[in-house]
Amino acid sequence: MGRAAELARVCGWEFAVVGGWLPNTMITLDWLSSRRRSMTDPLRLEPTLLAEAAAGGRTFGELAVCTPFPPVARAHLLHLLWHRRSGWTCGSLSVTVR
């Protein structure tokens, strides 16, 4: 038992040791960071995506299909998430504007 664990036991504290990130955490960060570089928006999807996200209650997929080019919109949404121009609420999985 380590020193921190021994000290906690002597003090009567209950504790848990966290040994690292969950496996999907690093995968998710890698997935988001893949869109960190600057992007152009020749199809003008960003205004639509931000307006729809501001309206609230839409999931990532629902926002993407609000545009004429859902695959391109998905890539652009990832870019907006990475740069914190949009965000999502984990409880409802809806995307919001920041």
Side-chain angles (χ1 to χ4, degrees):
M1 192 180 316
R3 290 183 181 177
E6 180 63 22
L7 177 63
R9 188 188 63 72
V10 169
C11 293
W13 298 339
E14 294 183 26
F15 73 100
V17 175
V18 177
W21 295 98
L22 293 173
N24 61 338
T25 303
M26 295 310 291
I27 293 168
T28 303
L29 286 175
D30 185 48
W31 174 67
L32 284 172
S33 72
S34 69
R35 298 294 172 192
R36 68 185 177 271
R37 291 175 180 80
S38 62
M39 291 179 71
T40 59
D41 188 17
L43 300 174
R44 305 288 303 142
L45 299 176
E46 186 174 314
T48 302
L49 292 170
L50 291 173
E52 292 293 331
R58 302 249 180 158
T59 65
F60 187 90
E62 290 169 343
L63 281 174
V65 298
C66 287
T67 69
F69 309 101
V72 179
R74 285 187 201 96
H76 208 82
L77 274 170
L78 288 176
H79 179 77
L80 294 172
L81 287 168
W82 177 261
H83 290 282
R84 297 182 182 170
R85 297 201 48 214
S86 64
W88 71 72
T89 306
C90 291
S92 66
L93 297 177
S94 61
V95 178
T96 59
V97 173
R98 294 185 179 223

